[in-house]
Amino acid sequence: IDGTLMSDPSNLFGRDTLITPLIMMVNNGVPVTTFIDVGAADGTFALTVLDAVNPGLRLFNIDAQETYAPSLARIEALLGEPYRITAVGERNGTIRVSAPKHEYWLSTAEHMNTGDGGLELPCHTLDNLCAEVGIKGPSFIKLDVWIASNLLHQVRDENLI
């Protein structure tokens, strides 16, 4: 991958990957300015997007798990692209989630519950987070979180493509 758009990204990435629709949209003139990764984990997927799609694309990594902060902070220090450690939801405040059985598996899903009463995390709307870091759409949003579809109903149209 050399930072240029491929005429047929499915040659490199299967059609069932998350990156292929973004590449196809950009190749077809959709004016994506920002890639927002909700559930970014360590941020490596966003770096792949940056390399494959457009080195001028803005990145915004968001994850609720503090364990990923050092990796996301390194990306921010190197590229100047922001990150936030927070849950994303329909309102600003806090959210209670199950304490994870493993530090990488934070979830609101009952089967992930350790039975210890859970954790309380900060929670922000995607619109507020975008405003905080100065991101204006159109953005491509990857949601890798539990109950992600409910979040889309709360996002202003100007932040979506």
Side-chain angles (χ1 to χ4, degrees), residues 106-128:
L106 186 65
S107 176
T108 56
E110 188 60 37
H111 72 279
M112 299 298 284
N113 192 345
T114 60
D116 71 352
L119 305 170
E120 191 167 300
L121 301 173
C123 184
H124 299 279
T125 67
L126 189 55
D127 288 334
N128 283 355

mmCIF file of all heavy atoms in Angstrom, residues 106-128:
data_model
loop_
_atom_site.group_PDB
_atom_site.id
_atom_site.type_symbol
_atom_site.label_atom_id
_atom_site.label_comp_id
_atom_site.label_asym_id
_atom_site.label_seq_id
_atom_site.Cartn_x
_atom_site.Cartn_y
_atom_site.Cartn_z
ATOM 1 N N LEU A 106 -13.945 -5.058 27.526
ATOM 2 C CA LEU A 106 -14.939 -4.229 28.185
ATOM 3 C C LEU A 106 -16.233 -4.295 27.393
ATOM 4 O O LEU A 106 -16.230 -4.172 26.169
ATOM 5 C CB LEU A 106 -14.433 -2.792 28.230
ATOM 6 C CG LEU A 106 -15.256 -1.794 29.006
ATOM 7 C CD1 LEU A 106 -15.246 -2.167 30.486
ATOM 8 C CD2 LEU A 106 -14.678 -0.419 28.816
ATOM 9 N N SER A 107 -17.350 -4.508 28.073
ATOM 10 C CA SER A 107 -18.606 -4.704 27.366
ATOM 11 C C SER A 107 -19.787 -4.423 28.273
ATOM 12 O O SER A 107 -19.698 -4.536 29.490
ATOM 13 C CB SER A 107 -18.685 -6.158 26.870
ATOM 14 O OG SER A 107 -19.928 -6.406 26.266
ATOM 15 N N THR A 108 -20.893 -4.052 27.659
ATOM 16 C CA THR A 108 -22.152 -3.984 28.391
ATOM 17 C C THR A 108 -22.910 -5.305 28.292
ATOM 18 O O THR A 108 -23.965 -5.454 28.882
ATOM 19 C CB THR A 108 -23.039 -2.843 27.845
ATOM 20 O OG1 THR A 108 -23.228 -3.046 26.451
ATOM 21 C CG2 THR A 108 -22.416 -1.483 28.100
ATOM 22 N N ALA A 109 -22.379 -6.259 27.557
ATOM 23 C CA ALA A 109 -23.045 -7.550 27.354
ATOM 24 C C ALA A 109 -23.035 -8.365 28.646
ATOM 25 O O ALA A 109 -22.020 -8.477 29.316
ATOM 26 C CB ALA A 109 -22.350 -8.335 26.243
ATOM 27 N N GLU A 110 -24.162 -8.927 28.977
ATOM 28 C CA GLU A 110 -24.307 -9.676 30.228
ATOM 29 C C GLU A 110 -23.354 -10.863 30.311
ATOM 30 O O GLU A 110 -22.813 -11.162 31.361
ATOM 31 C CB GLU A 110 -25.755 -10.147 30.376
ATOM 32 C CG GLU A 110 -26.056 -10.764 31.731
ATOM 33 C CD GLU A 110 -25.826 -9.799 32.898
ATOM 34 O OE1 GLU A 110 -26.105 -8.608 32.764
ATOM 35 O OE2 GLU A 110 -25.354 -10.269 33.961
ATOM 36 N N HIS A 111 -23.117 -11.558 29.195
ATOM 37 C CA HIS A 111 -22.252 -12.737 29.242
ATOM 38 C C HIS A 111 -20.796 -12.380 29.544
ATOM 39 O O HIS A 111 -19.993 -13.241 29.869
ATOM 40 C CB HIS A 111 -22.354 -13.540 27.934
ATOM 41 C CG HIS A 111 -21.694 -12.887 26.758
ATOM 42 N ND1 HIS A 111 -22.307 -11.895 26.026
ATOM 43 C CD2 HIS A 111 -20.479 -13.067 26.212
ATOM 44 C CE1 HIS A 111 -21.496 -11.504 25.073
ATOM 45 N NE2 HIS A 111 -20.376 -12.196 25.154
ATOM 46 N N MET A 112 -20.440 -11.094 29.444
ATOM 47 C CA MET A 112 -19.074 -10.661 29.749
ATOM 48 C C MET A 112 -18.917 -10.236 31.206
ATOM 49 O O MET A 112 -17.837 -9.881 31.641
ATOM 50 C CB MET A 112 -18.693 -9.487 28.844
ATOM 51 C CG MET A 112 -18.715 -9.823 27.370
ATOM 52 S SD MET A 112 -17.541 -11.094 26.921
ATOM 53 C CE MET A 112 -16.036 -10.164 26.964
ATOM 54 N N ASN A 113 -20.003 -10.257 31.957
ATOM 55 C CA ASN A 113 -20.012 -9.757 33.318
ATOM 56 C C ASN A 113 -19.215 -10.657 34.262
ATOM 57 O O ASN A 113 -19.365 -11.863 34.259
ATOM 58 C CB ASN A 113 -21.466 -9.665 33.807
ATOM 59 C CG ASN A 113 -21.608 -8.893 35.079
ATOM 60 O OD1 ASN A 113 -20.637 -8.636 35.788
ATOM 61 N ND2 ASN A 113 -22.829 -8.531 35.375
ATOM 62 N N THR A 114 -18.360 -10.028 35.081
ATOM 63 C CA THR A 114 -17.610 -10.778 36.080
ATOM 64 C C THR A 114 -18.377 -10.881 37.388
ATOM 65 O O THR A 114 -17.942 -11.566 38.301
ATOM 66 C CB THR A 114 -16.250 -10.111 36.369
ATOM 67 O OG1 THR A 114 -16.488 -8.785 36.848
ATOM 68 C CG2 THR A 114 -15.389 -10.090 35.137
ATOM 69 N N GLY A 115 -19.507 -10.169 37.483
ATOM 70 C CA GLY A 115 -20.326 -10.231 38.683
ATOM 71 C C GLY A 115 -19.857 -9.325 39.810
ATOM 72 O O GLY A 115 -20.338 -9.419 40.921
ATOM 73 N N ASP A 116 -18.943 -8.428 39.536
ATOM 74 C CA ASP A 116 -18.420 -7.582 40.609
ATOM 75 C C ASP A 116 -19.077 -6.209 40.682
ATOM 76 O O ASP A 116 -18.589 -5.318 41.357
ATOM 77 C CB ASP A 116 -16.905 -7.428 40.477
ATOM 78 C CG ASP A 116 -16.490 -6.571 39.297
ATOM 79 O OD1 ASP A 116 -17.371 -6.212 38.498
ATOM 80 O OD2 ASP A 116 -15.303 -6.257 39.184
ATOM 81 N N GLY A 117 -20.174 -5.999 39.980
ATOM 82 C CA GLY A 117 -20.865 -4.727 40.047
ATOM 83 C C GLY A 117 -20.540 -3.763 38.928
ATOM 84 O O GLY A 117 -21.221 -2.777 38.726
ATOM 85 N N GLY A 118 -19.483 -4.026 38.202
ATOM 86 C CA GLY A 118 -19.189 -3.235 37.015
ATOM 87 C C GLY A 118 -18.343 -2.005 37.262
ATOM 88 O O GLY A 118 -17.866 -1.748 38.361
ATOM 89 N N LEU A 119 -18.192 -1.243 36.203
ATOM 90 C CA LEU A 119 -17.390 -0.023 36.199
ATOM 91 C C LEU A 119 -18.238 1.135 35.714
ATOM 92 O O LEU A 119 -19.114 0.967 34.874
ATOM 93 C CB LEU A 119 -16.210 -0.176 35.224
ATOM 94 C CG LEU A 119 -15.275 -1.352 35.398
ATOM 95 C CD1 LEU A 119 -14.353 -1.454 34.194
ATOM 96 C CD2 LEU A 119 -14.482 -1.191 36.673
ATOM 97 N N GLU A 120 -17.953 2.315 36.198
ATOM 98 C CA GLU A 120 -18.603 3.509 35.688
ATOM 99 C C GLU A 120 -17.594 4.267 34.829
ATOM 100 O O GLU A 120 -16.479 4.529 35.263
ATOM 101 C CB GLU A 120 -19.089 4.387 36.834
ATOM 102 C CG GLU A 120 -20.001 5.487 36.365
ATOM 103 C CD GLU A 120 -20.730 6.154 37.506
ATOM 104 O OE1 GLU A 120 -21.474 5.451 38.210
ATOM 105 O OE2 GLU A 120 -20.543 7.362 37.678
ATOM 106 N N LEU A 121 -17.999 4.568 33.602
ATOM 107 C CA LEU A 121 -17.118 5.231 32.644
ATOM 108 C C LEU A 121 -17.719 6.559 32.207
ATOM 109 O O LEU A 121 -18.938 6.702 32.156
ATOM 110 C CB LEU A 121 -16.952 4.364 31.393
ATOM 111 C CG LEU A 121 -16.388 2.971 31.558
ATOM 112 C CD1 LEU A 121 -16.480 2.238 30.243
ATOM 113 C CD2 LEU A 121 -14.963 3.039 32.051
ATOM 114 N N PRO A 122 -16.864 7.506 31.820
ATOM 115 C CA PRO A 122 -17.407 8.706 31.192
ATOM 116 C C PRO A 122 -18.054 8.329 29.865
ATOM 117 O O PRO A 122 -17.639 7.384 29.210
ATOM 118 C CB PRO A 122 -16.179 9.589 30.982
ATOM 119 C CG PRO A 122 -15.023 8.650 30.971
ATOM 120 C CD PRO A 122 -15.408 7.492 31.846
ATOM 121 N N CYS A 123 -19.079 9.070 29.490
ATOM 122 C CA CYS A 123 -19.799 8.808 28.247
ATOM 123 C C CYS A 123 -20.112 10.150 27.591
ATOM 124 O O CYS A 123 -20.542 11.090 28.259
ATOM 125 C CB CYS A 123 -21.084 8.047 28.546
ATOM 126 S SG CYS A 123 -22.015 7.573 27.079
ATOM 127 N N HIS A 124 -19.864 10.234 26.288
ATOM 128 C CA HIS A 124 -20.103 11.469 25.548
ATOM 129 C C HIS A 124 -20.788 11.148 24.236
ATOM 130 O O HIS A 124 -20.593 10.079 23.669
ATOM 131 C CB HIS A 124 -18.781 12.186 25.260
ATOM 132 C CG HIS A 124 -18.049 12.565 26.501
ATOM 133 N ND1 HIS A 124 -18.350 13.680 27.233
ATOM 134 C CD2 HIS A 124 -17.037 11.958 27.153
ATOM 135 C CE1 HIS A 124 -17.556 13.751 28.279
ATOM 136 N NE2 HIS A 124 -16.751 12.710 28.254
ATOM 137 N N THR A 125 -21.550 12.106 23.722
ATOM 138 C CA THR A 125 -22.127 11.925 22.392
ATOM 139 C C THR A 125 -21.022 12.115 21.359
ATOM 140 O O THR A 125 -20.048 12.849 21.587
ATOM 141 C CB THR A 125 -23.255 12.931 22.111
ATOM 142 O OG1 THR A 125 -22.711 14.242 22.030
ATOM 143 C CG2 THR A 125 -24.354 12.855 23.165
ATOM 144 N N LEU A 126 -21.188 11.483 20.233
ATOM 145 C CA LEU A 126 -20.214 11.624 19.158
ATOM 146 C C LEU A 126 -20.167 13.060 18.660
ATOM 147 O O LEU A 126 -19.098 13.589 18.352
ATOM 148 C CB LEU A 126 -20.530 10.647 18.026
ATOM 149 C CG LEU A 126 -19.487 10.522 16.932
ATOM 150 C CD1 LEU A 126 -18.119 10.168 17.496
ATOM 151 C CD2 LEU A 126 -19.921 9.479 15.921
ATOM 152 N N ASP A 127 -21.311 13.712 18.590
ATOM 153 C CA ASP A 127 -21.339 15.113 18.162
ATOM 154 C C ASP A 127 -20.495 15.982 19.083
ATOM 155 O O ASP A 127 -19.727 16.831 18.615
ATOM 156 C CB ASP A 127 -22.769 15.641 18.127
ATOM 157 C CG ASP A 127 -23.586 15.076 16.984
ATOM 158 O OD1 ASP A 127 -22.989 14.691 15.958
ATOM 159 O OD2 ASP A 127 -24.818 15.010 17.118
ATOM 160 N N ASN A 128 -20.616 15.803 20.390
ATOM 161 C CA ASN A 128 -19.836 16.611 21.326
ATOM 162 C C ASN A 128 -18.344 16.319 21.211
ATOM 163 O O ASN A 128 -17.517 17.232 21.284
ATOM 164 C CB ASN A 128 -20.315 16.409 22.762
ATOM 165 C CG ASN A 128 -21.595 17.159 23.043
ATOM 166 O OD1 ASN A 128 -22.102 17.906 22.209
ATOM 167 N ND2 ASN A 128 -22.135 16.959 24.223
#
